Amino acid sequence: MLARLMNLYMGVDLSTGAGRALVEERYWSLRRQVPIVFLLGFVNISAMELAGTGRLTFGLNVPTFIACIWVVRLKHWFGRGSGRDADHSEMVKRMRQTVFVAAAVCVAVCARCLYLIHFSDEALQMAMMLFGGLTAIGVAYGLTALPAAGFIPLVLIIGPISAVALLSHEPRFAGAAFALVAAATFTLRLLGAHSRHLSAVIQSRSAIAGEQEVSERAHREAVVAATTDFLTGLPNRRAFVAALEVATAKGSPAAVAILDLNRFKAVNDTFGHAIGDLLLVEVASRLVRSVGKRGLVARLGGDEFGILFHDLRRTRDVAAMGRTILARVSGPVLLNGREFIVTASCGLSIAHKAGQSPSRLMADADVALYQAKEIPGGGAALFEAQMEASRRRRGQIERALQRSDMRANLNLVYQPIFDLTTGRVIAHEALARWTDCELGAVAPSEFVPIAEQLNLIHDINGHLMQMAFATARSWPASIRLSFNLSAIQLCSPGSAAAVLAALEKADLAPDRLQVEVTETALLADFERARANLTRLREAGATIVLDDFGAGYASIGYLRELKFDQIKLDGGLVTAAQHSEDGKRLLRAVIGLCEILGVSSVAEHVESRELLMLVQELGCAAGQGFWLEKPLPAERLNTLYGGQLAIDDGRHARRAA
């Protein structure tokens, strides 16, 4: 409705930005010009009244009428609601009223002018025409901001006066009429030109403003895109580092936490990125709810999140906050009808002074994170000075793992597993050894987790598997190879097929292989692990559950999966030597294995007493340094044909 009115009275379209800008420009111009227009009209009409009647009174006459309207309109234009708080509808309303008021005033002025012309002599008649024409042209110019209103005095004042002058058949009046019409026509053209110019200027200005707005919006969107994680909607690494720079520059109390999901890669690889993304979104939501207004949560990349805590500096407060966040993030998540157990690890660091490098704070938290990952099931660790050595060591291992000659320095040793009834070797467990030219010997517990994070573990495991299979081919048929599968291997699609293909390539029968898996590896993706293990078992491989008794879910796995052998955790075995409770627990576990029809293997048999104990409790097999330490491949032949015997010495011996 408003748009149609504006089209009718001013020729603009309120539905466009340029139309609204034109309305605003005309409104504010009119607001400035209206007082001057009324003053001009009042002065001219008063002068005309004085010239026509010889007197000027403030009774019921046109000057008084104009003065009253002037007062009313000034209050209307400058009263409440007419200033910066006026909206477009109010502006349209006031300008529409101006058109009608201009028409009413012009009719009154024209009527008074014609009256004076009719009752005056020729000299005064010419003056009346002059006063009327000047008034019309002056008012028209005063209303240039509103062409519809500016058009009215030219038509309603000059039009009738010129018509009366032409009808008088007086040459002087006819000439004056032609002059007035010419002036009115010229003024109309000027009004039209001014209106078109104003419209063009406003449209150009609006177009420029629109382009600037688009540019600014694009810039804002680019900034948002550059500082926001597209998946979770959280700030990204760039935004997190920027916020950390501000906090450290001010010297405000602050702490940094880096949180990493445990076994997320296995979920991503097994169930696909769609499920992995849903899991990340859920974790992000949990983190935001947990942290609240106490800090900033960001996704740093992959399954890694960063948290900047404000107003935290005391060690105990930061450590407590880390534990709280982990507790609230961890737990079951239901995605597409499947339940996933979320666990995480968290590394924390504290800004102790102003200007501390954000990169150093994050690096400290990262080092603490690796320490936290060593906690079973995940935990929180706060950076300490002594961890600096761990940081340097990790960097050295990372660089060494990525060198082209790394695999050439990999080797395998084999630790025998003995049948405790017959004393004969039944299997050899392949154990990785890495001796770097700069670092020296690096334990698997050090380099395997780093290799997994660098996505190098597949190549390393594949190389070790080929070496182990080639070595086992030369052993007697009664000796099996025991090979450990990592969580990534166990839970990767096609893992079983890859193992069977490697066996075929090495010309080693599947029944010569026993696969060792840990319950932590099963936690990564139980369904995928079960599928791979089932396929390997159906092919003839022996399936062994390693480190039984070290976790909390092993009983459930015994029910869900069919194992051929169970390795008892070394801690469980050692505890039986030092307490009656430990002994009873070990006896119960061995009894459980017997009930399930699964043979048990005691790990970490490190003394004659331990060997006697596990034999007494009925353990079927044993492995440990007291029985035999890990040996290189060429030393294994000395064990074949030998039989385990127990003497009074420090070690077991094999009798011919």
Side-chain angles (χ1 to χ4, degrees), residues 415-416 418 420 603-612 614-615 622-630 644-654:
Q415 187 169 26
F418 291 93
L420 296 184
E603 290 187 301
H604 294 190
V605 179
E606 309 297 343
S607 67
R608 178 177 181 274
E609 291 74 22
L610 264 181
L611 175 60
M612 298 290 289
V614 296
Q615 283 183 315
Q623 180 182 25
F625 269 60
W626 197 82
L627 299 173
E628 187 62 78
K629 63 183 179 180
L644 184 67
I646 303 172
D647 59 16
D648 293 332
R650 294 180 57 195
H651 300 283
R653 61 182 178 81
R654 284 162 301 283

Side-chain angles (χ1 to χ4, degrees), residues 80-95:
R80 185 177 179 181
S82 64
R84 295 294 176 185
D85 56 341
D87 58 17
H88 289 95
S89 61
E90 184 65 26
M91 293 178 183
V92 170
K93 178 182 176 182
R94 292 174 187 275
M95 287 190 285

